[in-house]
Amino acid sequence: MQKRILIVEDEASIRDMVAFALRKAGMEPVHAADARAAQLAMAEQVPDLILLDWMLPGMSGLDLARRLRKEDLTREVPIIMLTARGEEMDRVNGLEAGVDDYVIKPFSTRELLARIRAVLRRSQGDDGTGMVEIGGLRIDGPAHRVFAGDQAVPIGPTEYRLLYFFMTHAERVYSRTQLLDHVWGGSVYVEERTVDVHIRRLRKTLEPWQFDRMVQTVRGTGYRFSASF
Ligand code: CA
């Protein structure tokens, strides 16, 4: 299926260049010159990915990203931020806002397309078969089993759900509250401390294979599952 990519960028020349490259790559570009236009476009149809310029007139790209992460409809849509050189310092803020990746201007359309494809692949995580593999750690969704290489990993039910969520949402930071919503379900009353307890158990479960390193603490924010450590 053709991927719909929303480009939120106030510079028409960049927007046109990106749209041209996307179309050539078989994707469907949608334009927006500011946050307000982006929200209108998203109300019409939720895109598969958002390219979001950091510096926009009116609401900044970062604030828009934060807002999108709070709304049910757009929470899971991957975001690639377009930033100017010198704005790298704000990467931490961006990660906390739930941004998936960055591309620094000026960029080549080739580089941009490579990043788009990587983020789309990652966000699809579970490819529909329920099998997910990251760096040698594998989940067999239908069988509810976890494997490290070809060894079966004994795992508790909550740790399994937590790991499944992490592996299908790798490389993104989640707060304890977000993890409670996604893994425990929003209607259940559980203390945030519970998350830490199960994170600890999950790490212990994965420790014999050293995959515990993939379950990472992001100070002051929450947790992330990442293959790079
Ligand atoms: Ca701009």
Side-chain angles (χ1 to χ4, degrees):
M1 225 190 57
Q2 217 182 20
K3 295 290 177 197
R4 193 180 168 91
I5 314 289
L6 176 62
I7 313 161
V8 191
E9 163 67 74
D10 56 316
E11 277 171 72
S13 59
I14 296 181
R15 228 162 46 219
D16 291 345
M17 174 189 80
V18 172
F20 181 77
L22 288 173
R23 224 174 267 121
K24 242 175 84 184
M27 299 184 221
E28 185 195 348
V30 182
H31 299 243
D34 56 28
R36 175 148 181 74
Q39 283 173 312
L40 288 175
M42 278 182 279
E44 208 165 284
Q45 197 179 338
V46 178
D48 294 297
L49 184 143
I50 302 166
L51 294 174
L52 185 52
D53 183 28
W54 190 283
M55 297 294 277
L56 289 169
M59 189 194 295
S60 77
L62 189 60
D63 287 339
L64 178 60
R66 284 209 180 94
R67 189 166 292 199
L68 295 177
R69 285 292 168 254
K70 282 193 195 124
E71 287 168 19
D72 285 342
L73 210 61
T74 50
R75 181 171 295 158
E76 305 288 335
V77 182
I79 299 173
I80 297 179
M81 209 89 199
L82 308 176
T83 73
R85 217 165 278 283
E87 287 168 355
E88 292 105 315
M89 286 293 289
D90 275 336
R91 284 178 72 118
V92 176
N93 284 328
L95 285 174
E96 284 165 12
V99 165
D100 294 90
D101 204 353
Y102 291 80
V103 174
I104 299 191
K105 290 178 183 177
F107 51 81
S108 70
T109 52
R110 209 171 122 193
E111 181 197 354
L112 181 66
L113 284 173
R115 299 289 191 89
I116 290 174
R117 289 200 182 97
V119 169
L120 282 175
R121 258 201 311 277
R122 211 160 67 200
S123 75
Q124 282 151 6
D126 179 346
D127 59 4
T129 61
M131 307 288 277
V132 190
E133 206 210 315
I134 296 176
L137 184 63
R138 185 160 56 89
I139 278 197
D140 179 340
H144 269 242
R145 299 189 74 190
V146 178
F147 296 90
D150 43 19
Q151 284 179 289
V153 177
I155 190 167
T158 306
E159 286 69 52
Y160 174 85
R161 288 209 311 276
L162 190 56
L163 182 64
Y164 189 88
F165 176 76
F166 272 144
M167 288 182 70
T168 50
H169 299 80
E171 311 295 341
R172 188 185 277 177
V173 180
Y174 288 93
S175 69
R176 288 171 181 78
T177 315
Q178 286 172 324
L179 288 172
L180 282 176
D181 279 352
H182 287 289
V183 178
W184 277 262
S187 57
V188 187
Y189 181 76
V190 194
E191 284 181 74
E192 289 198 2
R193 207 164 40 88
T194 308
V195 176
D196 301 326
V197 171
H198 287 281
I199 290 276
R200 237 179 352 256
R201 285 190 198 154
L202 178 58
R203 283 185 178 140
K204 221 172 167 51
T205 301
L206 301 175
E207 208 176 5
W209 298 273
Q210 297 188 336
F211 286 128
D212 53 311
R213 291 180 296 181
M214 292 185 176
V215 183
Q216 299 168 1
T217 303
V218 181
R219 264 187 71 192
T221 309
Y223 296 102
R224 168 183 54 216
F225 188 87
S226 174
S228 38
F229 39 79

